[in-house]
Amino acid sequence: MILGIGTDLANIERIQGTLDRFGDRFRNRVFTETEQRKADARRDTAGTYAKRWAAKEACSKALGTGLRMGIAWKDMAVTNLKTGQPVMEVTGWARERLRDMTPAGHEAIIHVTLTDDHPWAQAFVVIEARPIADEAPATLTYPQAPRM
């Protein structure tokens, strides 16, 4: 069953301007160290940050809160599987919100897709609840992203 859907469109040039103006202050407030390493290793640094910005916005919408009610930017993070597939991980209040919205006997799965076509970056997030075969209490599962 679908628990939440969120999408966001970010302007890459706006993100570049924010990076130029605020630099590390912006990066450190919004992005995890893993996200920063990924973006800084890419040729299109601003585009990579813009996609992750959009993913965080989309995830907060899928959680039904937007960026309020205690969710911090770093409570949502995009990593990648070895295949390159993006994966959304949640911690802190975002993880608590996900746990609370997941019905008993189900596990929550967060699906995320990212795209960009300069000057736009877009993210789409779907939160799915899958029944657990043995009807154990609800758990949260995420595809395992490689640790850096």
Side-chain angles (χ1 to χ4, degrees):
M1 100 182 56
I2 302 300
L3 298 178
I5 298 172
T7 188
D8 193 67
L9 186 65
N11 185 289
I12 297 168
E13 293 170 1
R14 179 174 166 250
I15 296 297
Q16 181 65 65
T18 304
L19 289 165
D20 293 343
R21 183 171 178 199
F22 298 105
D24 287 342
R25 186 170 148 210
F26 172 64
R27 283 183 197 86
N28 294 333
R29 179 174 177 242
V30 176
F31 302 100
T32 65
E33 288 181 21
T34 301
E35 289 174 311
Q36 290 180 46
R37 279 193 305 270
K38 180 77 164 182
D40 293 341
R42 294 270 175 96
R43 185 177 64 228
D44 183 14
T45 302
T48 302
Y49 278 122
K51 285 186 280 190
R52 279 150 179 74
W53 171 279
K56 292 168 186 275
E57 288 274 6
C59 184
S60 71
K61 293 171 186 175
L63 288 168
T65 63
L67 284 161
R68 57 183 179 87
M69 296 176 59
I71 292 181
W73 286 104
K74 288 184 176 181
D75 285 348
M76 301 164 288
V78 177
T79 58
N80 296 85
L81 301 177
K82 289 180 182 180
T83 61
Q85 175 185 349
V87 179
M88 178 64 70
E89 297 179 4
V90 292
T91 58
W93 198 91
R95 185 178 184 119
E96 291 176 27
R97 170 70 177 142
L98 182 61
R99 185 177 297 119
D100 291 346
M101 65 191 285
T102 304
H106 290 74
E107 62 181 348
I109 311 294
I110 301 175
H111 304 276
V112 61
T113 186
L114 309 172
T115 190
D116 65 290
D117 187 5
H118 196 86
W120 301 107
Q122 183 178 28
F124 192 77
V125 171
V126 175
I127 301 176
E128 172 190 13
R130 289 186 188 161
I132 299 172
D134 62 2
E135 291 296 317
T139 60
L140 306 174
T141 60
Y142 309 97
Q144 292 300 307
R147 296 289 175 214
M148 298 180 148

